[in-house]
């Protein structure tokens, strides 16, 4: 798959569970795809890593989440770290945070004053990363999530 699309695909996982993929959100060719799905009766986001460095990238991603959590920086909770039953993909399953948008999408919808406020919040978040010795190496707007209401469960 090369672009976001609707999907209806079951993926059997090594941990004995099944992940139903319903929508492809993002594709990084030859590396990973990010999907919305259902796992253990809850809506989730899943990152499916494939290719020769799949395990390396999945491990790095999971360690990044652990570092953010350890520094009390808000991030989607990692629910599972596993592989597909056939062993061809590494899979990370995260809580689906809603309502939320990535900052790239949000940026297109807001006015100049709101953009300035969003940019300030993103800088504050990066400063928290820096203070916690968490190196952010993938600085794209779409890699930042903005919660559309203050209460996150």
């Amino acid at each position: 798959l090369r672009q976001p699309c609707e999907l209806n695909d079951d993926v059997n996982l090594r941990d004995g569970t099944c992940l139903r993929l319903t929508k492809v959100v993002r594709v990084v060719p030859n590396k990973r795809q990010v999907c919305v799905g259902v796992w253990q009766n809850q809506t989730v986001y899943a990152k499916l890593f494939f290719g020769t460095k799949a395990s390396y990238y999945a491990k790095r991603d999971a360690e990044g989440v652990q570092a953010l959590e350890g520094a009390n920086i808000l991030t989607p909770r990692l629910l599972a770290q596993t592989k597909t039953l056939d062993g061809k993909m590494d899979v990370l399953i995260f809580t689906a945070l809603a309502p939320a948008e990535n900052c790239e999408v949000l940026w297109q919808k807001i006015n100049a004053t709101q953009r300035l406020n969003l940019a300030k919040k993103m800088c504050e978040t990066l400063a928290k990363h820096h203070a916690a010795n968490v190196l952010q190496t993938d600085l794209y707007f779409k890699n930042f999530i903005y919660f559309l209401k203050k209460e996150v469960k």
Side-chain angles (χ1 to χ4, degrees):
L1 300 171
R2 296 204 176 268
Q3 60 186 355
C5 63
E6 297 300 315
L7 193 61
N8 186 13
D9 195 18
D10 287 341
V11 177
N12 293 313
L13 304 174
R14 276 202 181 155
D15 64 7
T17 63
C18 181
L19 171 65
R20 171 156 297 216
L21 303 176
T22 58
K23 182 178 182 180
V24 176
V25 177
R26 184 171 178 207
V27 176
V28 179
N30 302 313
K31 290 186 180 178
R32 75 177 171 274
Q33 64 184 35
V34 179
C35 299
V36 175
V38 177
W39 178 75
Q40 296 188 344
N41 297 315
Q42 61 183 314
T43 302
V44 297
Y45 273 81
K47 290 185 178 181
L48 293 89
F49 297 84
F50 44 89
T52 57
K53 292 188 174 185
S55 293
Y56 167 80
Y57 287 117
K59 182 177 183 272
R60 186 177 76 164
D61 204 288
E63 288 172 351
V65 169
Q66 291 167 353
L68 291 172
E69 288 176 341
N72 291 318
I73 297 171
L74 190 59
T75 187
R77 190 165 47 108
L78 180 60
L79 300 172
Q81 181 176 359
T82 187
K83 288 186 175 280
T84 55
L85 188 59
D86 63 10
K88 292 182 180 178
M89 289 186 277
D90 286 72
V91 181
L92 300 180
I93 301 173
F94 296 89
T95 55
L97 302 174
E101 285 187 309
N102 76 56
C103 288
E104 182 179 78
V105 170
L106 184 59
W107 189 266
Q108 302 303 318
K109 296 178 179 181
I110 58 180
N111 65 39
T113 301
Q114 292 168 319
R115 285 180 176 179
L116 179 60
N117 289 332
L118 178 60
K120 286 178 183 178
K121 287 180 183 183
M122 292 175 72
C123 287
E124 290 169 1
T125 299
L126 285 173
K128 288 179 185 177
H129 289 195
H130 179 74
N133 290 320
V134 175
L135 177 63
Q136 175 54 262
T137 61
D138 203 11
L139 290 173
Y140 295 100
F141 272 44
K142 68 176 82 173
N143 287 341
F144 289 83
I145 298 169
Y146 188 84
F147 301 102
L148 300 174
K149 67 179 186 179
K150 293 187 182 202
E151 184 176 296
V152 178
K153 295 182 180 181

